[in-house]
Amino acid sequence: MAMVCLSDFEAYAKKHLPKIAWDFFAAGADDCSTRDENILAYKRIRFRPRMLRDVSVMDIRTKLLGTEISFPVGIAPTGFHQLAWPDGEKSTARAATAMNTCYIASTYSTCTLEEIAAAAPGGIRWFQLYIHRNRAVSQQLVQQAEALGFQGLVLTADLPYTGKRRDDIRNGFRLPPHMKLKNLEGAFEGGDCSEYGLPPNSLDPSVTWNDIYWLRSLTHLPIIVKGILTKEDAELAVRHGVQGIIVSNHGGRQLDGGPATIDALVEVVDAVQGKIEVYLDGGIRKGSDVLKALALGAKCVFIGRPALWGLAYKGEEGLQDVLRILQDEFRLSMALAGCASISEIGRHLVQFSKL
Amino acid sequence: MAMVCLSDFEAYAKKHLPKIAWDFFAAGADDCSTRDENILAYKRIRFRPRMLRDVSVMDIRTKLLGTEISFPVGIAPTGFHQLAWPDGEKSTARAATAMNTCYIASTYSTCTLEEIAAAAPGGIRWFQLYIHRNRAVSQQLVQQAEALGFQGLVLTADLPYTGKRRDDIRNGFRLPPHMKLKNLEGAFEGGDCSEYGLPPNSLDPSVTWNDIYWLRSLTHLPIIVKGILTKEDAELAVRHGVQGIIVSNHGGRQLDGGPATIDALVEVVDAVQGKIEVYLDGGIRKGSDVLKALALGAKCVFIGRPALWGLAYKGEEGLQDVLRILQDEFRLSMALAGCASISEIGRHLVQFSKL
Amino acid sequence: MAMVCLSDFEAYAKKHLPKIAWDFFAAGADDCSTRDENILAYKRIRFRPRMLRDVSVMDIRTKLLGTEISFPVGIAPTGFHQLAWPDGEKSTARAATAMNTCYIASTYSTCTLEEIAAAAPGGIRWFQLYIHRNRAVSQQLVQQAEALGFQGLVLTADLPYTGKRRDDIRNGFRLPPHMKLKNLEGAFEGGDCSEYGLPPNSLDPSVTWNDIYWLRSLTHLPIIVKGILTKEDAELAVRHGVQGIIVSNHGGRQLDGGPATIDALVEVVDAVQGKIEVYLDGGIRKGSDVLKALALGAKCVFIGRPALWGLAYKGEEGLQDVLRILQDEFRLSMALAGCASISEIGRHLVQFSKL
Amino acid sequence: MAMVCLSDFEAYAKKHLPKIAWDFFAAGADDCSTRDENILAYKRIRFRPRMLRDVSVMDIRTKLLGTEISFPVGIAPTGFHQLAWPDGEKSTARAATAMNTCYIASTYSTCTLEEIAAAAPGGIRWFQLYIHRNRAVSQQLVQQAEALGFQGLVLTADLPYTGKRRDDIRNGFRLPPHMKLKNLEGAFEGGDCSEYGLPPNSLDPSVTWNDIYWLRSLTHLPIIVKGILTKEDAELAVRHGVQGIIVSNHGGRQLDGGPATIDALVEVVDAVQGKIEVYLDGGIRKGSDVLKALALGAKCVFIGRPALWGLAYKGEEGLQDVLRILQDEFRLSMALAGCASISEIGRHLVQFSKL
C-alpha cells in the first residue's frame, strides 16, 4: 500500500496495532465530539489564495523561541511510544532530529529522558511536565531535563484529573508489564498503577498560575503552557511571564465539548498581542491544515496521533515519512496560496470574516 | 458489558425491555424532532474552559428551594415505572434518597404515594400533578402528597391533551393488566382506559394561570410549573407567584417542533431575573450536559428516560449507577472547566455569543 | 398496517401504485432539491408554544374568501387522479365536500368538470387554469367552471413550460390509453400527446400580468394567482386586482433551486399588507406544518401529493382519512401551542428572528 | 440507458473508462473538499423566480469579447482528451463548433494545435497556456496559436506546481505510450515524463503579473487570466490590462481548501467593476447552475469534466449531447425564472442577502 497521505498511516496503525493500544491513542473524552471537531473545524475554513507570485524559491523554515526548525511542525507530547514501536521515544527523537524539528518528550515516556537525549544528540527537544502531588518528583524531572539539554519546559495545564475515555475504561487499559513509565520509576514504587500506569490521582489538581513562579524557580528553561483555550487564560499566561502557549484541548481527551483548537486560536493570538509565541496542536492532518493554523496566527503546530501512526508504521523511518509528507504538503500549499516564505503568511490568506 | 456511560444503559434497556414498553418510554411526538433536538442542541454548545485553577477540593452540592442535594441532578416525573422494574417507583424513591437528590413522583405512578413515601423515608421528593377534569381527584392528590411529606408541587403545564406518539398508537399501548395507576384507582373505576391507562380526555384542558391560585388555596407546598419555554410564560409564572419553573418540552412527547430545552433556557432565565429558581429537563445524557445547563442559568436539571434505563438495568441499584455516573462526570467536567464549586459556574463557561 | 400519519399513506402509495404513476406524482425538477426543501424547511422552524391557556373548546374553522371551511387545509390542484384511483377526481370532490373544505380541480383532470361538480353537489370548489396557446380553449373552460358553480379561478403562473422531471423522461411517461384529459378532449384531437397527455408546447408562454385583465373580462369569479414566490410579484398581484395568492413552487416540479414555499411566505405576506389573502402549498405533511404556515401568515394551505396518496389508499375514503388526520393533528398542535382558535395564531408562535 | 442529464454521462464514463483515466479526470487535490464544494455551493443558492413574464421568445445567445456564441457555456481547458476518446481534442473542437460555442484548447492536448484548428475550421477557440521554464517553448505555442486563428490566450495562473492528487499518485498515473503531449513534442525529448507526461517541474513557478507584459509582447490576442479567486488579484488583473478573468480553482485539483468558484465569483465581479469580462468554471452540472453563475455576474461559464464525460460517451456526438442538454436546461431555467434574454438576468434572481 502506498503511503501517500497521513490517513494512510492512520489506516495502517488501526489495522496493525493491538486494539487496546489503538484505542488508547485514538481515544477522546466522552462522545469524542471535541476530538472530532478538531478535524472538522479545518474543513470549515476557506483559503483566499493569491496567484502569479514568484514561488520558485520556497523557504519554509521558522524559529521556535529563536531556534530554527526546518518547517513549522513539531512533535506534540504523547505517552507510551513503546505501544507503537519497540524503540519507543528513542525512535521519535531520532526522527525529529533527522527532520530538524522540535520534539516535546512526555513525562509519560516509556524511555528515560537520558535515553531520549542520547538517541539523537543535538536535537531540538522540549520536556512536557505533569505536576505530581509529590512535587519532588516533578522538580527532579525538570532539573534533569534541563541538565540533559532539553531547551523548553511545557507545562500541561488541562489535566488536573484525567478525562473520561470510555474505550480505555471498557478495555481496562493498562501498560503491558514490560513497559514502564521510565521517568517515574521509583516514584510510585509498588503501588496501584491502574490509571495509565500510575496510581490514581497522582497528579496535583491544585496547580494554579502561581506554580509558574515555582517552576521558574527551578529552571532557566523557557516555560510554555499547554492547554490554553480562552483569551482570559492567554492574558494570565502573559502576565505570569511564560514564553509560549500551546493552544490545545489535549486531542479532545479531556473536556468533551470544548472548542476545536483552530477555532480557539484567534482569540488567544489576539489576546497575547505578539508578546509571546502561540502554538497549536490538534487535528493537523494535511499540509494545508498547517497553513491555516499559521494564517490564523500560530507560530508552529505540533502533531500528536499522526506521529504515533508513523511510529506504528516503521518506527523512526515511518515518523520521518509522516513529517516529510506534511513538509511537502505544507510547502506545496504555501506555493499554491502564493506564499514563498513563512513571513508572507497571514490572515489575508483565509476568509476571516466567515470564521 | 461494562456500564460506562448513560448510553450503555439505554442500549441495555432497548435490548431487554418489551418493545411496547421501550417504545412508550422512547416515544416522541410526531416525527420526534423535538425529542432529538433536546440531545443535538447540547452538541452545538461549546465550552470556554479555564485552566490552572485549584480544583483539588470539589464541592458539587447545591440547593433546591433551600434544601441541599448532593449534586444538581434530580429525577424528572415519568409514568409507569413498573414497566421498567417490578418495584416501580419504590425503587426510584430509594435510589434518589440513597444519592441524596430530589425525585419528582408522577401522578401516573404505578405505586401509591404512600408506598413511595414509605420506601425511602426522609427522601427529598416533589409531587407532579396533572389537573383532571374531576378537580376533586387532583385536590385529594395534592393534599395527600403534602400530608405524606412531599416538599414541592410540580404542575405540568404542557399537556392539555396528550401529544401524538405514533409508536404508541401503532402498538395500541396500554398498561399490562397487573399494573395500575395506583394514585387514581377508584377515580375512574370501570371506564375505558385506552389513553395511557386512563379514560380519554380525563385531563382538564381548560387549566389556566388562574388555577395557580386554586392550587395555592389547597396547599402550602411550593409550586413549580413544568413545561415553560418562552419568556412570556416565564413572566406569567413569576407574576402568579410560583416558586420555580422547569423548562421542559415533556421530553419531546407533546408539541413536535418546539425548541430544545437547553435552547429555550436562556430566554426563561433572563425573564425571571433571579426572582425564582429555573430548572430544566430534556436531553441530559452526560455530566457535561449538566454543566452546560448550569452555565446557562439552570439551578438544577432532571433526568427522565435515563432514570428509566437505570431502573430497567437493575432497579434501585441501576438507577443509583446512572446517578453516580452522572455525578462523577459532572464533577470531572466542572474540574476540567476550572470550577471547584457550583458558584463558579456561569455564562463565561460557554461560547455564549454563538448560541 | 395502521395508517397513523401521512407518511404511512406515502409508503402505501409507493408500494401499490405502478412505478410510472408513483414517479409522476413524486417527481421534482432536476435534482429535486426544491421539492425536498419544501419539507426540510419546516423542520428548521421552531415553535414558541404558550402554556396554561384554556384550550378546552377548540375552533379550527376558517374562511376562504368569505366561505367557511372546516379547517385551513384544502386540496391543491394536481393532475390525473385516475392514475391514483379509478374514480379519479370524482372521489376527490366527494372527500373534500365530506370534510367541508376546498378542492381546487385541475385543468388536467381525468374527469370532466361536470362530473366533478355532479359528484359532490354543494362542495366548495375552485378551478385551476392553465392558459393554452389556443385561448378559446381556456376561455371555454373558465366559463364552464363558473357555470358549474366553481367559486374561484386559480391561475397557475409558474408553468410557461413544463419543468424537467427526469424520471418522467426516463419512463417515457404518458397517460394510459383509457385515461383522457377530459376537459381538453377535442381541443387537441389526434395530435401528438407526448407531453403529459397534451401536444408539446400547448401552453402559452407569453402570458403576462395583463392577462389577468383578460380573465377578469371572462368571469366574475375571484381570481387567485398560484406560483408567486417574491415580494415583487406579490405586489404586482395586488396591483392587478386578484383576490388571492398561492405561494407555491409547483411542488418543486418547475424551477429547481427555488425557495421552499414556507421560506418564501413571509416575504409575500409582508408585501400584500393584508390587502388580499395569501395561501400556500408544498411540503405540508403534519398538522404542525399547517400551524407553522398559519403562524407565518398563510390564511390556508393546500395539500398536493398527500391527497393523491389518500386516493391511492382507498379513494374517497382514503383521502378523508388523510384530511381527518391532518385535521386532528392541526387541532392538537394548536392546543399544545396554546391557541383555541385560528385568530390566536400569529408570528409570536414561531422563533421569527431565527428564520 | 437514457442520457437525460449530465450525471448520466458521469455514470457512463465512470463505468466505461479505464480506472486510471477516470481517476485522473475525477481527481481533486488532497481530500477533494474544494472539488466537492464547487458542486455543493450551487445547492445553497436560492432563486427568486419571477412569474407571468412573456417568455415565448427565448434568446440565450451571448458574446465572448465581442464574439457571439449560442449560449453562455464553453469548454474549459482540460488535458489528454485521447484518454476519453480516440480522436481526442479533434472531437472536442468539432462538437464546440457544431454547437457554436467557445473551446479553450489546453497546452496539454493530445492533438496538435494544427489538428485542432483543422478539425473544425471557423470555430471559436482560445488557447490555454502554461508557462514553461523554457520560455521559448511557451513563446512558440502562443505565436502558433495566434497564427492558427485562435482568438484568445488563456493564462493558467494557479499551477506554479501541480496539486497533490492522491489517486494519481497511487495509480502511478502516466499517459499510455501511444499518447503524446503533441504540442510539446520535442520540447522535452527523451526526458523523464513522470509528471503528467512531462518532466517534473517543467512549469515555471516564478511567473508573476509582470509576465502579462511579456505575453502582451508576443501576441495581439486578448489575454484571459484563469484561476483568480480574490478581489485583490482581480484588481491586479485589471491593472495589468488583461481582457478577461476566469474564476477557477482548477476543478479543485490545486489548492484544497479554497472556495467554490461560485462563492468567489461575486467578490471578483465587484472588484472589476465591469471593466473586463468575468467567466467561471467549476461545478456546473445543470442549466440552473449556469443561470446562477450569470445572475451573480459571470458573462459565461466553462465546463471541464462534463465535456470529458460527453467525449467518453460518444466522442464529438456525446459532447454535443452534453452541450445540448445544458443548453435546453439553461433555456428552460431562464424561462421559469422569468427571463427571456440574457440581459434580463441579474442579482435580483437570487437570494443575494443569504449568500
Side-chain angles (χ1 to χ4, degrees):
Chain A
M1 182 191 181
M3 305 307 271
V4 173
C5 58
L6 267 56
S7 51
D8 293 332
F9 293 82
E10 181 177 20
Y12 182 95
K14 184 164 190 178
K15 188 169 170 192
H16 290 85
L17 283 180
K19 180 180 185 308
I20 198 170
W22 166 261
D23 281 353
F24 168 74
F25 290 141
D30 295 337
D31 288 334
C32 301
S33 62
T34 293
R35 179 194 68 179
D36 297 341
E37 264 291 288
N38 273 351
I39 310 261
L40 293 171
Y42 285 101
K43 300 189 190 298
R44 292 190 294 256
I45 298 172
R46 293 269 156 273
F47 285 118
R48 301 185 72 251
R50 301 296 306 276
M51 302 299 143
L52 296 178
R53 295 160 71 99
D54 182 349
V55 289
S56 56
V57 179
M58 299 294 300
D59 183 353
I60 62 174
R61 293 169 300 167
T62 191
K63 287 185 177 173
L64 280 188
L65 298 177
T67 302
E68 185 178 298
I69 53 176
S70 66
F71 78 122
V73 177
I75 310 291
T78 53
F80 313 157
H81 290 196
Q82 284 185 359
L83 281 178
W85 189 253
D87 262 7
E89 288 80 3
K90 289 184 285 187
S91 296
T92 315
R94 287 187 205 111
T97 303
M99 290 297 293
N100 193 31
T101 191
C102 177
Y103 163 36
I104 310 178
S106 168
T107 293
Y108 290 174
S109 296
T110 44
C111 300
T112 62
L113 294 185
E114 288 91 338
E115 289 171 323
I116 291 170
I124 304 159
R125 272 186 293 276
W126 293 351
F127 172 65
Q128 175 271 334
L129 181 76
Y130 288 118
I131 299 183
H132 285 81
R133 288 181 192 266
N134 181 344
R135 295 283 179 115
V137 171
S138 299
Q139 173 171 352
Q140 193 219 327
L141 279 173
V142 169
Q143 292 171 338
Q144 183 187 17
E146 183 167 6
L148 287 165
F150 285 75
Q151 295 140 276
L153 179 66
V154 175
L155 175 67
T156 296
D158 58 8
L159 204 139
Y161 304 96
T162 303
K164 181 172 182 177
R165 305 162 198 169
R166 295 175 184 172
D167 282 346
D168 286 347
I169 300 172
R170 292 185 212 283
N171 294 336
F173 175 79
R174 295 193 177 216
L175 280 187
H178 62 282
M179 293 185 206
K180 302 283 177 212
L181 294 188
K182 286 290 186 62
N183 294 300
L184 300 170
E185 276 202 295
F188 304 102
E189 213 57 83
D192 165 10
C193 288
S194 64
E195 193 166 307
Y196 301 102
L198 290 176
N201 296 314
S202 59
L203 300 186
D204 187 347
S206 76
V207 175
T208 67
W209 288 102
N210 284 329
D211 290 298
I212 299 290
Y213 303 131
W214 172 66
L215 288 177
R216 174 57 59 237
S217 76
L218 303 180
T219 179
H220 296 100
L221 291 179
I223 296 174
I224 299 98
V225 180
K226 173 171 173 283
I228 301 306
L229 293 166
T230 61
K231 63 171 184 262
E232 293 90 336
D233 281 344
E235 285 162 6
L236 285 169
V238 171
R239 205 176 316 152
H240 286 81
V242 306
Q243 278 65 47
I245 285 173
I246 304 181
V247 174
S248 172
N249 52 30
H250 217 108
R253 298 161 79 86
Q254 289 295 103
L255 178 64
D256 198 33
T261 51
I262 191 70
D263 286 339
L265 177 61
V266 170
E267 170 174 342
V268 170
V269 166
D270 285 350
V272 305
Q273 297 181 303
K275 291 172 191 158
I276 61 177
E277 295 190 352
V278 177
Y279 320 114
L280 171 146
D281 68 21
I284 298 286
R285 297 295 180 268
K286 297 184 297 177
S288 59
D289 297 336
V290 183
L291 183 58
K292 287 174 181 174
L294 266 68
L296 293 175
K299 180 81 176 173
C300 179
V301 302
F302 294 89
I303 56 171
R305 293 182 185 93
L308 296 161
W309 305 333
L311 286 178
Y313 177 57
K314 279 192 187 172
E316 170 189 347
E317 190 184 334
L319 177 47
Q320 279 197 57
D321 289 347
V322 162
L323 287 166
R324 204 173 293 113
I325 285 172
L326 269 181
Q327 194 176 66
D328 290 343
E329 288 182 350
F330 173 64
R331 186 190 296 108
L332 178 57
S333 293
M334 270 182 63
L336 297 182
C339 301
S341 71
I342 300 289
S343 64
E344 295 174 33
I345 300 171
R347 288 188 180 175
H348 58 277
L349 277 194
V350 298
Q351 294 183 354
F352 195 77
S353 65
K354 297 207 178 165
L355 293 186
Chain B
M1 182 192 181
M3 304 309 272
V4 174
C5 58
L6 268 54
S7 51
D8 294 333
F9 292 82
E10 181 177 20
Y12 182 95
K14 184 165 190 177
K15 188 169 170 191
H16 290 85
L17 283 179
K19 181 182 184 307
I20 198 170
W22 167 261
D23 281 352
F24 170 74
F25 290 142
D30 294 338
D31 287 334
C32 301
S33 62
T34 293
R35 179 194 68 180
D36 297 341
E37 265 291 289
N38 273 351
I39 310 260
L40 292 171
Y42 285 101
K43 300 189 190 297
R44 292 188 296 255
I45 298 172
R46 292 270 156 273
F47 284 118
R48 302 185 70 253
R50 301 296 306 277
M51 302 299 143
L52 296 180
R53 296 159 71 100
D54 181 348
V55 289
S56 56
V57 179
M58 298 294 300
D59 183 353
I60 62 174
R61 292 170 301 167
T62 191
K63 288 184 177 170
L64 280 188
L65 299 176
T67 302
E68 186 178 297
I69 53 177
S70 67
F71 78 123
V73 177
I75 311 291
T78 52
F80 312 158
H81 290 196
Q82 284 186 357
L83 281 177
W85 189 253
D87 262 8
E89 289 80 5
K90 288 185 284 186
S91 296
T92 314
R94 287 189 204 109
T97 303
M99 291 297 293
N100 193 28
T101 191
C102 178
Y103 162 36
I104 309 178
S106 168
T107 293
Y108 292 173
S109 296
T110 44
C111 301
T112 63
L113 294 185
E114 287 92 338
E115 290 171 321
I116 292 170
I124 304 158
R125 271 186 293 278
W126 293 350
F127 171 65
Q128 175 271 333
L129 181 75
Y130 290 118
I131 299 183
H132 286 80
R133 289 181 192 264
N134 181 344
R135 295 283 178 116
V137 171
S138 299
Q139 174 171 352
Q140 193 220 327
L141 279 172
V142 169
Q143 292 171 337
Q144 183 187 17
E146 183 167 5
L148 287 165
F150 284 76
Q151 296 142 274
L153 179 66
V154 176
L155 174 67
T156 296
D158 58 7
L159 204 138
Y161 303 96
T162 302
K164 181 173 182 176
R165 305 161 198 169
R166 295 176 185 171
D167 282 347
D168 286 347
I169 300 173
R170 292 185 212 286
N171 293 337
F173 174 80
R174 296 193 178 216
L175 279 187
H178 62 283
M179 292 185 206
K180 302 283 176 213
L181 294 189
K182 286 288 186 63
N183 293 301
L184 299 171
E185 275 201 295
F188 305 103
E189 212 59 81
D192 165 9
C193 289
S194 63
E195 195 166 305
Y196 300 103
L198 289 176
N201 296 313
S202 59
L203 299 186
D204 187 347
S206 76
V207 174
T208 68
W209 288 102
N210 283 330
D211 290 297
I212 299 290
Y213 301 133
W214 173 67
L215 289 177
R216 175 56 60 237
S217 75
L218 303 180
T219 178
H220 296 101
L221 291 178
I223 296 174
I224 299 98
V225 180
K226 173 171 174 282
I228 301 304
L229 294 165
T230 62
K231 62 170 185 262
E232 293 89 335
D233 282 343
E235 286 162 4
L236 285 169
V238 171
R239 204 177 315 153
H240 286 81
V242 304
Q243 276 66 48
I245 285 173
I246 304 182
V247 174
S248 172
N249 51 32
H250 216 109
R253 297 160 80 85
Q254 289 295 103
L255 178 64
D256 198 35
T261 50
I262 191 70
D263 286 338
L265 177 62
V266 170
E267 169 175 342
V268 170
V269 166
D270 286 350
V272 305
Q273 298 182 302
K275 291 172 190 159
I276 61 177
E277 296 191 350
V278 177
Y279 320 113
L280 170 146
D281 67 22
I284 297 287
R285 298 293 179 268
K286 298 184 296 179
S288 59
D289 297 335
V290 183
L291 183 58
K292 287 174 181 175
L294 265 67
L296 293 175
K299 181 80 177 174
C300 179
V301 303
F302 293 90
I303 55 170
R305 293 182 186 93
L308 295 161
W309 305 334
L311 286 178
Y313 177 57
K314 279 193 188 172
E316 170 188 347
E317 190 183 332
L319 176 48
Q320 279 198 58
D321 289 347
V322 162
L323 286 166
R324 204 174 293 112
I325 285 173
L326 268 181
Q327 194 176 65
D328 289 343
E329 288 182 350
F330 173 63
R331 186 191 296 108
L332 179 57
S333 294
M334 269 183 64
L336 297 182
C339 300
S341 71
I342 300 288
S343 63
E344 296 175 33
I345 300 171
R347 288 190 179 173
H348 59 277
L349 276 195
V350 297
Q351 295 183 355
F352 195 78
S353 65
K354 298 207 177 165
L355 295 187
Chain C
M1 181 193 182
M3 305 308 272
V4 173
C5 58
L6 268 54
S7 51
D8 293 333
F9 292 82
E10 182 177 19
Y12 182 96
K14 184 165 189 178
K15 189 169 168 192
H16 290 84
L17 283 180
K19 181 182 185 308
I20 197 171
W22 167 262
D23 281 354
F24 169 73
F25 290 141
D30 294 338
D31 287 335
C32 302
S33 62
T34 294
R35 179 195 67 178
D36 297 342
E37 266 290 289
N38 273 351
I39 310 261
L40 293 170
Y42 285 100
K43 300 188 190 300
R44 293 189 294 255
I45 298 172
R46 293 270 156 272
F47 284 118
R48 303 186 68 254
R50 301 297 304 278
M51 302 299 143
L52 296 180
R53 296 159 71 100
D54 181 348
V55 289
S56 56
V57 179
M58 298 294 299
D59 183 354
I60 61 174
R61 291 170 300 167
T62 192
K63 287 186 178 170
L64 280 187
L65 299 176
T67 302
E68 185 177 297
I69 53 178
S70 66
F71 78 122
V73 177
I75 311 290
T78 53
F80 313 157
H81 289 195
Q82 285 187 356
L83 282 177
W85 189 256
D87 261 7
E89 288 80 4
K90 288 183 284 185
S91 296
T92 315
R94 287 188 205 111
T97 302
M99 291 296 292
N100 193 29
T101 191
C102 177
Y103 163 36
I104 309 179
S106 168
T107 292
Y108 291 174
S109 296
T110 44
C111 301
T112 62
L113 295 186
E114 287 92 339
E115 289 171 321
I116 292 171
I124 304 159
R125 271 186 294 276
W126 292 351
F127 171 66
Q128 175 271 334
L129 181 76
Y130 289 118
I131 299 182
H132 286 81
R133 289 183 192 264
N134 181 344
R135 296 283 178 114
V137 171
S138 299
Q139 175 172 349
Q140 194 221 326
L141 280 172
V142 170
Q143 292 171 338
Q144 183 187 16
E146 184 168 5
L148 288 165
F150 284 77
Q151 294 141 274
L153 179 65
V154 175
L155 175 67
T156 296
D158 59 7
L159 204 138
Y161 303 95
T162 303
K164 181 172 182 177
R165 304 161 198 170
R166 295 175 184 171
D167 282 346
D168 286 347
I169 300 173
R170 292 184 213 285
N171 293 337
F173 174 80
R174 299 197 175 210
L175 279 188
H178 62 284
M179 292 185 206
K180 302 285 175 211
L181 295 188
K182 285 290 184 63
N183 294 301
L184 298 170
E185 275 202 294
F188 304 104
E189 212 59 80
D192 165 9
C193 288
S194 63
E195 195 167 305
Y196 300 103
L198 289 176
N201 295 314
S202 60
L203 299 186
D204 187 348
S206 76
V207 175
T208 68
W209 287 102
N210 283 330
D211 290 298
I212 300 291
Y213 301 132
W214 172 66
L215 290 176
R216 176 54 63 236
S217 75
L218 302 180
T219 179
H220 296 100
L221 292 178
I223 296 173
I224 299 99
V225 180
K226 173 171 173 281
I228 301 304
L229 294 166
T230 62
K231 62 169 184 261
E232 293 90 335
D233 281 343
E235 285 163 5
L236 285 170
V238 171
R239 203 178 315 153
H240 285 81
V242 305
Q243 276 66 46
I245 285 173
I246 304 180
V247 174
S248 172
N249 52 33
H250 215 110
R253 298 161 80 86
Q254 289 294 105
L255 179 64
D256 198 34
T261 50
I262 191 70
D263 286 339
L265 177 62
V266 170
E267 169 174 342
V268 169
V269 166
D270 285 351
V272 306
Q273 298 181 302
K275 291 173 190 157
I276 60 177
E277 296 191 351
V278 177
Y279 320 113
L280 170 147
D281 68 22
I284 298 286
R285 298 291 179 269
K286 298 185 296 178
S288 60
D289 298 335
V290 182
L291 183 59
K292 287 174 181 175
L294 264 67
L296 293 175
K299 181 79 177 173
C300 179
V301 303
F302 294 88
I303 55 170
R305 293 182 185 92
L308 296 161
W309 305 334
L311 286 178
Y313 177 55
K314 280 194 188 172
E316 171 188 346
E317 191 184 333
L319 176 48
Q320 279 198 56
D321 289 348
V322 162
L323 287 167
R324 204 173 292 115
I325 285 173
L326 270 180
Q327 194 176 66
D328 290 343
E329 289 181 350
F330 173 64
R331 185 190 296 109
L332 179 58
S333 294
M334 269 182 64
L336 297 182
C339 301
S341 70
I342 299 289
S343 63
E344 295 175 33
I345 300 171
R347 287 189 180 175
H348 59 277
L349 276 194
V350 297
Q351 295 184 353
F352 196 78
S353 66
K354 297 206 175 162
L355 295 187
Chain D
M1 181 192 182
M3 305 308 271
V4 173
C5 58
L6 267 56
S7 51
D8 293 333
F9 292 83
E10 182 177 19
Y12 182 96
K14 185 164 189 178
K15 188 169 168 192
H16 290 85
L17 283 179
K19 181 180 184 310
I20 196 171
W22 167 260
D23 281 354
F24 169 74
F25 290 141
D30 294 338
D31 288 334
C32 302
S33 62
T34 294
R35 179 194 68 178
D36 296 342
E37 266 289 289
N38 273 350
I39 310 262
L40 293 171
Y42 285 101
K43 300 189 191 298
R44 293 189 294 256
I45 298 172
R46 292 269 156 272
F47 284 117
R48 303 185 70 252
R50 301 295 305 278
M51 302 299 142
L52 296 179
R53 295 160 71 100
D54 182 349
V55 290
S56 56
V57 179
M58 299 294 299
D59 183 353
I60 62 174
R61 293 169 300 166
T62 191
K63 287 185 178 172
L64 281 187
L65 299 176
T67 302
E68 185 178 298
I69 53 178
S70 66
F71 77 123
V73 177
I75 311 290
T78 53
F80 313 158
H81 290 195
Q82 284 186 357
L83 281 177
W85 188 254
D87 262 8
E89 288 81 3
K90 288 184 286 185
S91 296
T92 315
R94 286 188 206 111
T97 302
M99 291 296 293
N100 193 29
T101 191
C102 177
Y103 163 36
I104 309 179
S106 168
T107 293
Y108 290 174
S109 296
T110 44
C111 300
T112 63
L113 294 185
E114 286 92 340
E115 288 172 322
I116 292 171
I124 304 158
R125 272 186 293 275
W126 293 350
F127 172 65
Q128 174 271 335
L129 182 75
Y130 288 118
I131 298 182
H132 285 81
R133 291 181 191 265
N134 181 346
R135 295 284 178 113
V137 171
S138 298
Q139 173 171 352
Q140 194 220 325
L141 278 172
V142 170
Q143 291 171 339
Q144 183 186 15
E146 183 167 5
L148 286 166
F150 284 76
Q151 294 140 275
L153 179 65
V154 175
L155 175 67
T156 296
D158 58 8
L159 204 138
Y161 303 96
T162 302
K164 182 172 182 176
R165 304 162 199 170
R166 295 175 184 171
D167 282 346
D168 286 346
I169 300 173
R170 291 185 213 285
N171 293 337
F173 175 80
R174 297 195 175 211
L175 278 187
H178 62 283
M179 292 185 207
K180 303 284 176 211
L181 294 188
K182 285 290 186 61
N183 294 299
L184 298 171
E185 275 201 294
F188 305 102
E189 212 59 80
D192 165 9
C193 288
S194 64
E195 193 167 306
Y196 300 102
L198 289 176
N201 295 314
S202 60
L203 299 186
D204 187 347
S206 76
V207 174
T208 67
W209 288 102
N210 283 329
D211 290 298
I212 299 290
Y213 301 132
W214 172 66
L215 289 177
R216 174 57 60 236
S217 75
L218 302 180
T219 179
H220 296 101
L221 292 179
I223 295 173
I224 298 98
V225 180
K226 174 171 174 282
I228 301 305
L229 292 166
T230 61
K231 63 170 184 262
E232 293 89 334
D233 281 345
E235 284 162 5
L236 285 169
V238 170
R239 203 177 316 152
H240 285 81
V242 305
Q243 277 66 45
I245 285 173
I246 304 181
V247 174
S248 172
N249 51 32
H250 216 109
R253 298 161 80 86
Q254 290 294 104
L255 178 64
D256 198 33
T261 50
I262 192 70
D263 285 339
L265 177 62
V266 170
E267 169 174 342
V268 170
V269 166
D270 285 350
V272 306
Q273 297 181 303
K275 291 174 190 157
I276 61 177
E277 296 190 352
V278 177
Y279 320 114
L280 170 147
D281 68 22
I284 298 286
R285 297 293 179 268
K286 297 184 296 177
S288 59
D289 297 336
V290 183
L291 183 59
K292 287 174 182 175
L294 265 68
L296 293 175
K299 180 80 176 174
C300 179
V301 303
F302 293 89
I303 56 170
R305 293 181 185 93
L308 296 160
W309 304 335
L311 286 178
Y313 176 56
K314 278 194 189 169
E316 171 189 345
E317 191 184 335
L319 176 48
Q320 279 198 55
D321 289 347
V322 162
L323 286 167
R324 203 173 294 114
I325 286 172
L326 269 180
Q327 194 176 65
D328 290 343
E329 289 182 349
F330 172 63
R331 186 190 297 110
L332 179 57
S333 293
M334 270 183 63
L336 297 182
C339 302
S341 71
I342 300 289
S343 64
E344 295 174 33
I345 300 171
R347 288 188 180 176
H348 58 278
L349 275 194
V350 298
Q351 294 183 354
F352 196 77
S353 65
K354 297 206 176 163
L355 295 187

